[in-house]
Protein backbone atom coordinates (compact mmCIF):
# COMPACT_ATOMS: atom_id res chain seq x y z
CA UNK A 1 0.00 0.00 0.00
CA UNK A 2 1.27 3.47 -0.83
CA UNK A 3 -0.67 5.51 1.71
CA UNK A 4 0.21 8.83 3.29
CA UNK A 5 -0.21 10.03 6.85
CA UNK A 6 -0.41 13.76 7.49
CA UNK A 7 0.71 14.96 10.90
CA UNK A 8 -0.23 18.35 12.36
CA UNK A 9 1.84 18.82 15.50
CA UNK A 10 5.14 16.93 15.42
CA UNK A 11 5.98 16.74 19.12
CA UNK A 12 5.95 13.62 21.28
CA UNK A 13 2.79 11.88 20.09
CA UNK A 14 2.93 13.19 16.53
CA UNK A 15 6.56 12.16 16.21
CA UNK A 16 5.87 8.71 17.70
CA UNK A 17 2.98 8.03 15.32
CA UNK A 18 5.13 9.23 12.41
CA UNK A 19 7.88 6.80 13.42
CA UNK A 20 5.46 3.87 13.58
CA UNK A 21 4.01 4.86 10.20
CA UNK A 22 7.40 5.02 8.50
CA UNK A 23 8.30 1.65 10.02
CA UNK A 24 5.07 0.30 8.51
CA UNK A 25 5.93 1.59 5.03
CA UNK A 26 3.60 4.60 5.12
CA UNK A 27 4.73 7.98 3.77
CA UNK A 28 4.50 10.82 6.29
CA UNK A 29 4.02 14.57 5.81
CA UNK A 30 4.91 16.44 9.00
CA UNK A 31 4.00 19.94 10.12
CA UNK A 32 4.11 22.14 13.18
CA UNK A 33 3.34 25.73 14.17
CA UNK A 34 6.89 26.96 13.55
CA UNK A 35 7.25 26.05 9.88
CA UNK A 36 8.68 23.19 7.79
CA UNK A 37 12.26 24.41 8.18
CA UNK A 38 12.21 23.53 11.89
CA UNK A 39 11.46 19.87 11.20
CA UNK A 40 14.69 18.99 9.40
CA UNK A 41 16.15 17.00 12.30
CA UNK A 42 12.99 14.91 12.64
CA UNK A 43 12.62 14.19 8.93
CA UNK A 44 16.30 13.24 8.77
CA UNK A 45 15.79 10.73 11.59
CA UNK A 46 12.68 9.29 9.96
CA UNK A 47 14.27 8.89 6.55
CA UNK A 48 13.15 9.16 2.96
CA UNK A 49 9.48 8.42 3.62
CA UNK A 50 9.10 11.62 5.67
CA UNK A 51 8.94 15.22 4.51
CA UNK A 52 8.01 18.54 6.12
CA UNK A 53 5.24 20.88 4.99
CA UNK A 54 2.74 23.42 6.28
CA UNK A 55 -0.25 22.24 8.31
CA UNK A 56 -2.61 22.80 5.38
CA UNK A 57 -0.30 20.83 3.08
CA UNK A 58 -0.04 17.97 5.56
CA UNK A 59 -3.83 17.89 5.85
CA UNK A 60 -4.29 17.84 2.08
CA UNK A 61 -1.67 15.13 1.53
CA UNK A 62 -2.86 12.61 4.09
CA UNK A 63 -5.15 9.62 3.65
CA UNK A 64 -5.38 10.12 7.42
CA UNK A 65 -4.37 13.28 9.28
CA UNK A 66 -3.16 13.02 12.85
CA UNK A 67 -3.74 16.17 14.92
CA UNK A 68 -1.42 16.24 17.93
CA UNK A 69 -1.42 19.83 19.14
CA UNK A 70 -2.28 21.34 22.54
CA UNK A 71 -6.02 21.80 22.85
CA UNK A 72 -5.57 25.56 22.98
CA UNK A 73 -4.26 25.37 19.39
CA UNK A 74 -7.25 23.44 18.02
CA UNK A 75 -9.19 26.62 17.03
CA UNK A 76 -6.31 27.48 14.67
CA UNK A 77 -6.35 24.23 12.67
CA UNK A 78 -6.73 24.50 8.86
CA UNK A 79 -10.39 23.46 8.92
CA UNK A 80 -10.91 23.92 5.17
CA UNK A 81 -8.00 21.61 4.33
CA UNK A 82 -9.31 18.99 6.79
CA UNK A 83 -12.83 18.95 5.34
CA UNK A 84 -13.71 15.49 4.08
CA UNK A 85 -10.60 13.96 5.64
CA UNK A 86 -10.31 11.20 8.21
CA UNK A 87 -8.83 13.15 11.10
CA UNK A 88 -7.30 11.41 14.11
CA UNK A 89 -7.80 13.49 17.24
CA UNK A 90 -5.07 12.69 19.79
CA UNK A 91 -5.87 15.59 22.09
CA UNK A 92 -6.39 15.75 25.84
CA UNK A 93 -7.61 18.79 27.72
CA UNK A 94 -5.22 19.83 30.46
CA UNK A 95 -6.31 22.92 32.37
CA UNK A 96 -2.75 23.73 33.48
CA UNK A 97 -1.60 23.86 29.85
CA UNK A 98 -4.66 24.93 27.87
CA UNK A 99 -6.34 27.32 30.26
CA UNK A 100 -9.93 26.96 31.41
CA UNK A 101 -12.38 25.92 28.67
CA UNK A 102 -15.87 26.36 30.08
CA UNK A 103 -17.65 23.67 28.05
CA UNK A 104 -15.12 21.07 29.14
CA UNK A 105 -15.15 22.17 32.77
CA UNK A 106 -18.92 21.73 33.03
CA UNK A 107 -18.95 18.45 31.14
CA UNK A 108 -21.51 19.75 28.66
CA UNK A 109 -19.17 18.58 25.88
CA UNK A 110 -16.42 16.00 25.69
CA UNK A 111 -13.06 17.17 24.40
CA UNK A 112 -13.70 15.16 21.24
CA UNK A 113 -17.06 16.87 20.67
CA UNK A 114 -15.49 20.31 21.03
CA UNK A 115 -12.64 19.28 18.70
CA UNK A 116 -15.21 18.21 16.10
CA UNK A 117 -16.85 21.65 16.23
CA UNK A 118 -13.60 23.26 15.09
CA UNK A 119 -13.26 20.93 12.08
CA UNK A 120 -16.92 20.54 11.06
CA UNK A 121 -16.25 19.00 7.67
CA UNK A 122 -13.85 16.33 8.93
CA UNK A 123 -14.57 12.73 9.89
CA UNK A 124 -12.93 12.61 13.30
CA UNK A 125 -11.80 9.60 15.30
CA UNK A 126 -10.23 9.97 18.73
CA UNK A 127 -7.29 7.72 19.63
CA UNK A 128 -3.61 7.78 20.70
CA UNK A 129 -4.60 10.03 23.64
CA UNK A 130 -4.55 7.28 26.28
CA UNK A 131 -0.94 6.12 26.02
CA UNK A 132 2.45 7.64 26.87
CA UNK A 133 4.35 8.36 23.67
CA UNK A 134 7.34 6.16 24.54
CA UNK A 135 5.02 3.26 25.34
CA UNK A 136 3.25 3.86 22.03
CA UNK A 137 6.52 3.02 20.28
CA UNK A 138 7.77 0.26 22.56
CA UNK A 139 4.49 -1.69 22.78
CA UNK A 140 3.76 -1.89 19.04
CA UNK A 141 3.66 -5.52 17.85
CA UNK A 142 2.92 -7.33 14.57
CA UNK A 143 -0.58 -8.71 14.05
CA UNK A 144 -1.07 -12.04 15.79
CA UNK A 145 1.55 -11.42 18.48
CA UNK A 146 0.43 -12.86 21.83
CA UNK A 147 1.53 -9.69 23.64
CA UNK A 148 -0.15 -7.24 21.30
CA UNK A 149 -1.77 -4.20 22.92
CA UNK A 150 -5.01 -2.47 22.00
CA UNK A 151 -5.93 1.19 21.77
CA UNK A 152 -9.46 2.55 22.28
CA UNK A 153 -11.08 4.69 19.60
CA UNK A 154 -14.20 6.88 19.60
CA UNK A 155 -16.08 8.59 16.80
CA UNK A 156 -19.37 8.96 14.95
CA UNK A 157 -18.39 7.91 11.41
CA UNK A 158 -18.26 4.12 11.01
CA UNK A 159 -16.25 4.26 7.79
CA UNK A 160 -13.66 6.55 9.37
CA UNK A 161 -13.42 4.28 12.41
CA UNK A 162 -12.88 1.27 10.14
CA UNK A 163 -10.14 3.15 8.29
CA UNK A 164 -8.41 4.14 11.53
CA UNK A 165 -8.73 0.58 12.83
CA UNK A 166 -6.93 -0.63 9.70
CA UNK A 167 -4.24 2.00 10.22
CA UNK A 168 -3.73 1.00 13.86
CA UNK A 169 -3.39 -2.61 12.80
CA UNK A 170 -0.58 -1.63 10.44
CA UNK A 171 1.08 0.43 13.16
CA UNK A 172 1.06 -2.48 15.60
CA UNK A 173 -2.15 -2.27 17.62
CA UNK A 174 -5.53 -3.90 18.01
CA UNK A 175 -8.56 -1.66 18.54
CA UNK A 176 -11.43 -1.42 21.00
CA UNK A 177 -14.41 0.73 20.02
CA UNK A 178 -15.29 3.05 22.92
CA UNK A 179 -18.40 4.33 21.18
CA UNK A 180 -19.53 7.62 19.67
CA UNK A 181 -17.86 11.00 20.14
CA UNK A 182 -20.29 11.76 22.98
CA UNK A 183 -19.03 8.62 24.76
CA UNK A 184 -15.37 9.63 24.47
CA UNK A 185 -15.34 10.70 28.13
CA UNK A 186 -14.53 7.02 28.68
CA UNK A 187 -11.05 7.66 27.27
CA UNK A 188 -10.40 11.17 28.51
CA UNK A 189 -7.73 12.06 31.07
CA UNK A 190 -8.62 10.57 34.45
CA UNK A 191 -10.55 7.58 33.11
CA UNK A 192 -9.50 3.97 33.86
CA UNK A 193 -8.43 3.56 30.21
CA UNK A 194 -6.10 6.55 30.35
CA UNK A 195 -2.39 5.57 30.64
CA UNK A 196 -2.86 3.10 33.55
CA UNK A 197 -3.43 -0.08 31.51
CA UNK A 198 -0.03 0.30 29.86
CA UNK A 199 1.98 0.85 33.06
CA UNK A 200 4.11 -1.94 34.52
CA UNK A 201 4.03 -0.27 37.94
CA UNK A 202 1.44 2.51 38.41
CA UNK A 203 3.13 3.48 41.69
CA UNK A 204 6.18 4.96 40.00
CA UNK A 205 6.29 8.08 37.78
CA UNK A 206 5.19 6.90 34.37
CA UNK A 207 8.02 8.51 32.36
CA UNK A 208 10.33 5.97 34.02
CA UNK A 209 7.89 3.08 33.61
CA UNK A 210 8.97 0.54 30.97
CA UNK A 211 5.37 -0.09 29.95
CA UNK A 212 3.46 -3.35 29.60
CA UNK A 213 1.07 -4.78 27.02
CA UNK A 214 -2.67 -4.22 27.51
CA UNK A 215 -4.81 -6.43 25.32
CA UNK A 216 -8.34 -6.03 23.99
CA UNK A 217 -9.92 -7.55 27.09
CA UNK A 218 -8.02 -5.29 29.48
CA UNK A 219 -8.93 -2.15 27.55
CA UNK A 220 -12.56 -3.25 27.24
CA UNK A 221 -12.69 -3.78 31.01
CA UNK A 222 -11.19 -0.33 31.62
CA UNK A 223 -13.87 1.25 29.41
CA UNK A 224 -16.60 -0.58 31.31
CA UNK A 225 -15.20 0.73 34.62
CA UNK A 226 -15.49 4.37 33.54
CA UNK A 227 -18.05 6.31 35.57
CA UNK A 228 -19.39 9.76 34.70
CA UNK A 229 -18.06 12.39 32.33
CA UNK A 230 -14.43 13.17 33.20
Amino acid sequence: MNDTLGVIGSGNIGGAVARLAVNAGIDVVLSNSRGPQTLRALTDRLGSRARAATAAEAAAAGDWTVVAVPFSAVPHLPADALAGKTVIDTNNYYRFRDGVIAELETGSLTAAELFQRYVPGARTVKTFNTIYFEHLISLARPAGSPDRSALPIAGDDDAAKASVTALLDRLGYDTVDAGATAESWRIQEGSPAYVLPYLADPRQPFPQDPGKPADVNEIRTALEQARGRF
Side-chain angles (χ1 to χ4, degrees):
M1 299 181 185
N2 186 26
D3 298 317
T4 300
L5 180 74
V7 180
I8 298 176
S10 300
N12 290 337
I13 285 290
V17 176
R19 177 173 165 184
L20 292 178
V22 165
N23 290 346
I26 298 170
D27 293 332
V28 176
V29 182
L30 297 150
S31 65
N32 63 13
S33 61
R34 294 172 293 147
Q37 70 281 359
T38 66
L39 291 167
R40 177 66 181 273
L42 179 57
T43 56
D44 284 350
R45 288 197 302 272
L46 292 174
S48 60
R49 285 196 175 275
R51 66 180 176 89
T54 66
E57 290 167 342
D63 295 284
W64 313 269
T65 304
V66 170
V67 176
V69 299
F71 207 94
S72 56
V74 169
H76 308 295
L77 291 172
D80 289 346
L82 292 170
K85 295 286 186 176
T86 297
V87 175
I88 301 173
D89 165 19
T90 75
N91 295 274
N92 287 303
Y93 166 55
Y94 300 118
R95 187 187 302 110
F96 70 87
R97 180 193 66 185
D98 301 315
V100 174
I101 300 176
E103 298 95 328
L104 303 183
E105 291 290 322
T106 63
S108 62
L109 291 175
T110 64
E113 287 175 304
L114 184 57
F115 179 94
Q116 175 72 74
R117 289 190 178 188
Y118 284 111
V119 289
R123 305 185 303 160
T124 63
V125 179
K126 192 174 191 70
T127 193
F128 295 127
N129 66 301
T130 60
I131 188 169
Y132 182 49
F133 76 98
E134 290 187 355
H135 296 161
L136 179 61
I137 295 172
S138 66
L139 294 177
R141 300 286 190 275
S145 298
D147 60 345
R148 202 181 207 212
S149 294
L151 293 172
I153 66 171
D156 298 330
D157 188 299
D158 288 341
K161 289 166 86 170
S163 179
V164 171
T165 295
L167 172 64
L168 291 179
D169 183 56
R170 293 175 67 182
L171 299 186
Y173 285 89
D174 292 332
T175 301
V176 177
D177 192 337
T181 303
E183 293 294 309
S184 63
W185 55 267
R186 298 180 186 275
I187 60 174
Q188 289 183 172
E189 188 271 335
S191 71
Y194 177 80
V195 176
L196 293 175
Y198 310 100
L199 297 183
D201 184 358
R203 296 169 298 179
Q204 70 175 343
F206 75 82
Q208 284 77 52
D209 191 285
K212 73 164 184 64
D215 66 12
V216 166
N217 290 331
E218 185 171 354
I219 299 304
R220 186 173 290 127
T221 297
L223 295 175
E224 291 169 353
Q225 291 172 342
R227 296 290 183 270
R229 293 170 73 96
F230 289 86

